[in-house]
Structure formats: structure tokens, C-alpha cells
Amino acid sequence: MAVRRRKPASRAGKAPSATPSATPSATPSATPSATPAKPPDQPAGAPRRRVFRGSSPSIWRVLPRTFQGRLSLAFVMVFALAVGTVSIMTVLVLDNDLRQQVETNLQARANAISAVVRVKAEAAAALDPANATVVSAGNNLNGYVRAAMSDPTTLTNYANDVAQADLRLRFGLGSETPQGIVFYPAGEPSTFSASLTAEPGRGQARDSVSYAETFRFVDPGGAKPTWYLEVSLSAPYTTRASTIASVVGFLLISAMAGLLLAVVVSFLLARRFTKPLRRLTDAARALAEGDLARRVPADRARTGAAEIAELSHQFNAMADQVEETMEVIRRDRDISREFLADVSHELRTPLAALRTFNELLQEKAGSDPAARAEFLEASAQQIERLDWLAQNLLELSKLDSGLVRLNLRPDDLRATILSAVEQAQVSATRRGIDLATELPETPLVTRHDPQRLGQVVINLIGNALKFTPRGGSVRVTLVPHGRGARIQVSDTGVGIDASELPHVFERFYRGSRANEARSSGSGLGLAIVRSIVEMHGGRVMVESRIGSGSTFTVTLPADPRKVGESATTGAPTAAGATKPAGSPGPAE
């Protein structure tokens, strides 16, 4: 019975020698020189030169400057790295699988060779009448066996037909150890070899894979000694190299085609990603050049990523805010110009009158006591008018600039209104006008600034007294309104024309009717009223008809701090309509 034990095969990729007397020998490895390359002579203490920075351009200068170019390059590099890694791993795995297949084939061929050689060797040994053993106990090969195995034709046939590789056979004895079989070759000559001489098939070539196995043959009767046969196969014809070459070629062609496709796709994707950024750049440039109406189209912004779309929306919101701010600045500039023109006009009238009175007093009129007294009284009136105008301008400027802070505190509105009515009572009596109030019996408490709100009531009463003829009446009413309050100042005066209602709160507006009452005053009283009411979170409205008098209504919240912004409604366009204090610049 034959027992086979495999001998570890060399994976070094180098075929064993086919010469019987050849024994593998280890090639001594070359010892690399441990002495590093000597740098060029350099003066002691001199700074070390950095060749990379001085002689070669920085890698950042080679990269594309545009975001689209860098994004395309990054995409292509990632694709190339991924394809290269997958290709290398594919080739390595395929090479390992093909190598295992070749070793499996060589193992099967070695088994076939051992079976054929056993039959031939035992048949040749049986012809020896003196010693019928293949290998004697003294580890000598039978002469008949040596003669039979020395036939070159037989070995060549074994190499070409059975092994299909370079073949080497060694006879001898062996011993069993825990590590395997230890083979002891028989006395020479006991090694026989033959080279593969058959023509390779299509796609076949010599392979570096080798295989060796030791077979143990035991005499079933136990009379003959056990002998061993070492079979070594190397450099077989395989298609492993051609298969790997075909796969590598296919991978290279596929990688090149994929790389070309990746370049096109990356260019299109990068262009798609950067197109919204270019739109943003164009819009920002146009905005910087003064085109405040320029926006990023919302429908086109959706073609980009969510972050770019959000950036486009935020840019449009910023542009809207900038345009709105610039519009406010332009409007304020126009209002300031008109305000300065109005102030110049208002100041010119009393100054011209004072200059005229001064010139007259310097002439003959100065010697007339009656004329001098008349001019001095007129001059005093103009000076008073200038003082009133200056106070109103200063007050309105403080209110518009936000320099005035309200002293808000919970207080009874009845006391504020009564104090204002008492201050105006003297003027009403002098004009022969009935000034009355209607107040609730219980306290009406809201959070307000008594001094500023009293100024509102005084201005409204003064405006009503100015346009109410002698014998008329002015009524101040206070009623609850929701959680706040409503103050109404009604008169039985001349009324306001419907065309003038939208402008009564404008600065320096005094109407177009040529009467003494309307042409007097500074034209700033109602502007101050509107500003103070809005600071309290309320609104002021007016209702009027020609010949039927006017009614000014002030609506106040319970707590101005809880009001986000003043409520606005439509302005009156006809007699009897209402106008809130939402339009710019009212006038007295």
C-alpha cells in the first residue's frame, strides 16, 4: 500500500533545476550600503537650502484656479483612484485564484505520475532475481529500476503527456516526524528529470508555479522495505499569464473609457453646481454697481444644491433689505430737502418783517410814538413766532431722531387730559369758545407718558381753537377702547376740505384756503402729535366736513411695550373719511 505525504512546495516562483545532480541553493542577498549619500559641500553655519520651494513650482499653482475646474479635477481624481484600486485588487485576486487552480492541477498530475512510476518501478524490480525491492534497506536504488527510469524517451513522455511540466523524480527512503516526512535520497544515480518539450497550446506559456510531493509506498506483505518517491513539477504550460494580460487590457480600456466619461460627467456636474454661484456673483456685482433691483431668479436657484438655493434666497432677502434701506434713505433725503426748504421759507417771512420794521424805525417812523409802538408790537409777534417755530422744529427733530424716550408709567388718563384742558382754558376764554370735557367716572389707567400725551391733547385743542370761530365749542372726550383708551377732540369750526385731509399731518402744511386762521401757525403741531402717538403704539385719525367742524381721534393701547408696531389704515380721500397717522409728516 502506498501512503503519500506532501512536501512543502516552493512559492518563490523559480523552477527547480532539471539536472539530477543539481541542488537548490540560496542566493546570498546583497547587503545595501549603510553609508548615506554625502551631501554637497556646504559652509558651516549656512542655512539649509529648500530645493522644493526654490526650484519647482508649488502644486497649488498647477491646480485650476476656478472652483469648477478644481471640482472637476477632484471628481476625476476620485474616480481614477477608485477605478485603479478596484483594478489592482481584481488582478491580485484573479492571479491568486489562477495560481491555486494551477497548483491543484499539478497535484493531480503528480498523483498520476506517482502511480505510473510505481507500476514501472515495481515491474522493473521484479525482474531482478537477486533483489526484488525498488529501494533496498541500505538506501540503494535497484539497478533494473535505474535502467528503466534512465530511458529519456520514457521520461520525456511522462513530462509531455502526464505531468505537462518539467519533471524530476527522486527515489529513496524516509522517516515520519511530527513535522512530516523527512526524505533521504538513495545513492546516486537516483534522480531522474526531463524537460517539457511539447508545443504550448493557444494562449499558454511557461508558468513560474512549482509543486512537489513525496509519496510513500508500503509493501502489503511486509516483506519488502517501504520506499519513497519525490515528484517535483515546475514551469508548466498555463493560460494564467494570458488571462491576466487580457483582464488587465480590458480593465485599462474600461478605465480609459470610464475616465473619459468621468471627465465629461464631472464637467457637466461641476458646471451645474457652479452655475448658481456664477449667477450669485453676477447679481452681487450688479448690486455693487448700483443695480439694486437685480435678483437671483428663484426658479433657477432650485437647480443647484439645497445650500446654494438657500444662499440664493438669503442673497435675495439681503438685496431686498438693501433696496428698501436705500429707498428709505432716498425718501429721507428728499424729505430732508423739502424740510430744509420749508424751514428756510418759514424763517424768511418773520425775518423779512423784522428787517422791514427795523428799517422803518430807523427812518421818520421812529420819531412817531404811535408808529414806533405799533412796529415794536409787530416785531414782538414775529420774534414770538420765530421762538415758537424754533421750539417746534427742535421738538420734532428730537422725536424723529429717537432722542426722546418716553417715561411710561401706569397712570389715570383723566388727570392728563384735565391738566391739558386747564392750560388751554385761558386761550379758549379769550377767543370766546366753549371748551368742555367728557370723562368717565371711574379711573381709566393706561401705561403712558403724561407729559408727552398732555402735549398731544394741548396741540389738538390749540388746533381746534384756531379753526373755530367765536361762539363755537370744542369738546374733549375720553372713553375706554378695548383694553386701551380713545381720546377725541371735536370742534364746530370751519372744517377741512376733502382734498386736504390726506395732507393735514404733513410738516408745514397749512392748507390752501386763504384765511387768517389757516395761514397762521408753524405747520408742525400735528406732526408732533403723530410722532408722540406712534411712540405710544397708537394712531391718530381725522374726520371733517366743510362747515361742520373736525374730529381728531387718538387711539391708545393699554401698554405700548406690547405693541410691535403701530397699526396703519387707509387715509381719507373724501369728506367724512378717516386718515391715520401713518403717512409721512403731518402739519398743523
Side-chain angles (χ1 to χ4, degrees):
M1 182 178 67
V3 179
R4 62 188 182 188
R5 302 299 293 271
R6 178 181 298 181
K7 179 180 179 182
S10 173
R11 298 286 182 100
K14 188 174 182 179
S17 175
T19 305
S21 62
T23 56
S25 61
T27 302
S29 59
T31 304
S33 176
T35 304
K38 184 178 180 181
D41 294 339
Q42 188 173 353
R48 182 177 298 177
R49 290 177 296 176
R50 305 187 68 175
V51 180
F52 175 75
R53 289 187 177 180
S55 60
S56 61
S58 174
I59 189 174
W60 297 108
R61 298 180 181 177
V62 183
L63 294 177
R65 292 184 177 272
T66 62
F67 177 68
Q68 178 178 346
R70 294 189 177 186
L71 189 62
S72 302
L73 180 61
F75 184 84
V76 171
M77 291 180 63
V78 170
F79 177 83
L81 181 62
V83 171
T85 303
V86 172
S87 300
I88 293 175
M89 294 301 298
T90 301
V91 172
L92 292 178
V93 172
L94 178 62
D95 179 70
N96 184 63
D97 291 342
L98 292 178
R99 176 182 288 273
Q100 291 181 357
Q101 292 180 8
V102 172
E103 290 179 352
T104 302
N105 292 334
L106 291 179
Q107 180 182 4
R109 296 170 191 175
N111 291 334
I113 289 293
S114 67
V116 172
V117 171
R118 177 189 179 186
V119 172
K120 188 174 183 63
E122 289 181 350
L127 298 177
D128 188 359
N131 184 12
T133 60
V134 177
V135 179
S136 65
N139 200 12
N140 293 316
L141 182 63
N142 188 287
Y144 286 86
V145 175
R146 182 180 297 110
M149 300 306 301
S150 298
D151 183 11
T153 303
T154 301
L155 291 177
T156 301
N157 291 336
Y158 287 166
N160 292 336
D161 299 335
V162 182
Q164 298 179 5
D166 292 343
L167 174 64
R168 187 184 71 172
L169 301 176
R170 291 203 301 174
F171 293 85
L173 300 179
S175 61
E176 299 287 342
T177 64
Q179 290 76 22
I181 297 177
V182 177
F183 179 73
Y184 303 103
E188 296 294 336
S190 61
T191 302
F192 309 92
S193 60
S195 299
L196 179 63
T197 60
E199 294 294 329
R202 183 177 180 181
Q204 289 184 338
R206 289 279 191 168
D207 202 330
S208 60
V209 179
S210 62
Y211 181 81
E213 186 173 352
T214 301
F215 297 89
R216 179 170 176 265
F217 300 104
V218 180
D219 184 15
K224 299 178 181 180
T226 300
W227 60 282
Y228 293 82
L229 175 65
E230 183 187 73
V231 179
S232 298
L233 305 179
S234 61
Y237 285 140
T238 65
T239 59
R240 184 166 72 99
S242 61
T243 301
I244 292 178
S246 299
V247 172
V248 170
F250 174 76
L251 290 176
L252 286 176
I253 295 175
S254 301
M256 294 300 295
L259 187 62
L260 180 61
L261 180 62
V263 171
V264 176
V265 173
S266 64
F267 175 78
L268 296 177
L269 289 178
R271 185 176 181 182
R272 180 181 177 88
F273 291 154
T274 57
K275 194 172 183 179
L277 295 180
R278 289 197 298 271
R279 292 198 189 101
L280 278 170
T281 302
D282 295 339
R285 185 181 298 110
L287 194 66
E289 293 174 354
D291 186 6
L292 301 182
R294 186 68 174 271
R295 299 291 185 274
V296 178
D299 54 344
R300 295 184 179 180
R302 297 192 187 99
T303 60
E307 294 82 357
I308 298 179
E310 180 64 22
L311 179 60
S312 301
H313 294 321
Q314 293 300 326
F315 176 85
N316 289 340
M318 180 197 68
D320 292 339
Q321 187 66 29
V322 170
E323 185 178 16
E324 182 180 353
T325 302
M326 293 302 298
E327 185 63 27
V328 172
I329 292 175
R330 292 193 190 99
R331 187 168 59 248
D332 291 344
R333 180 190 60 191
D334 296 339
I335 293 175
S336 298
R337 290 176 179 175
E338 295 176 0
F339 180 75
L340 290 176
D342 294 337
V343 169
S344 300
H345 176 73
E346 293 295 329
L347 292 177
R348 189 180 298 114
T349 301
L351 289 176
L354 287 174
R355 185 182 297 110
T356 301
F357 297 152
N358 186 46
E359 292 175 354
L360 292 174
L361 288 175
Q362 290 177 355
E363 296 177 356
K364 296 179 181 181
S367 59
D368 186 358
R372 185 172 60 251
E374 180 182 355
F375 291 155
L376 290 176
E377 182 180 359
S379 299
Q381 292 178 358
Q382 295 300 328
I383 292 175
E384 183 179 356
R385 177 179 174 83
L386 283 175
D387 182 63
W388 173 256
L389 181 61
Q391 291 181 4
N392 285 338
L393 286 175
L394 181 60
E395 186 70 19
L396 187 60
S397 176
K398 290 181 178 180
L399 293 174
D400 289 345
S401 61
L403 297 178
V404 176
R405 292 186 177 273
L406 297 180
N407 182 19
L408 298 175
R409 63 176 184 268
D411 203 348
D412 188 2
L413 279 174
R414 298 182 304 171
T416 301
I417 293 177
L418 286 175
S419 176
V421 170
E422 289 177 359
Q423 295 181 39
Q425 188 65 52
V426 176
S427 177
T429 303
R430 187 174 63 248
R431 292 173 178 266
I433 299 174
D434 179 28
L435 179 59
T437 58
E438 292 184 7
L439 305 177
E441 297 181 357
T442 58
L444 183 54
V445 179
T446 62
R447 186 176 290 274
H448 66 279
D449 186 334
Q451 181 180 357
R452 294 295 176 181
L453 199 57
Q455 185 179 359
V456 168
V457 179
I458 291 174
N459 286 2
L460 291 178
I461 295 175
N463 189 73
L465 294 176
K466 187 186 304 181
F467 298 109
T468 302
R470 182 176 295 273
S473 64
V474 175
R475 186 173 301 275
V476 181
T477 305
L478 174 64
V479 294
H481 179 72
R483 301 183 61 183
R486 174 181 292 168
I487 303 173
Q488 287 185 337
V489 178
S490 304
D491 61 69
T492 59
V494 295
I496 305 173
D497 189 80
S499 61
E500 298 178 1
L501 283 176
H503 308 287
V504 295
F505 289 99
E506 295 178 2
R507 298 172 182 176
F508 297 106
Y509 184 79
R510 292 191 297 273
S512 60
R513 301 183 63 191
N515 57 68
E516 182 180 355
R518 190 171 297 278
S519 61
S520 63
S522 64
L524 299 175
L526 292 181
I528 297 175
V529 168
R530 186 200 64 169
S531 297
I532 296 176
V533 170
E534 287 183 348
M535 292 176 64
H536 280 79
R539 60 178 182 172
V540 57
M541 298 163 44
V542 58
E543 297 179 0
S544 182
R545 289 182 182 273
I546 296 296
S548 301
S550 303
T551 300
F552 286 83
T553 303
V554 176
T555 304
L556 298 174
D559 190 349
R561 299 175 302 177
K562 298 180 180 180
V563 179
E565 58 182 5
S566 300
T568 58
T569 57
T573 57
T578 61
K579 181 195 184 300
S583 59
E588 183 177 305

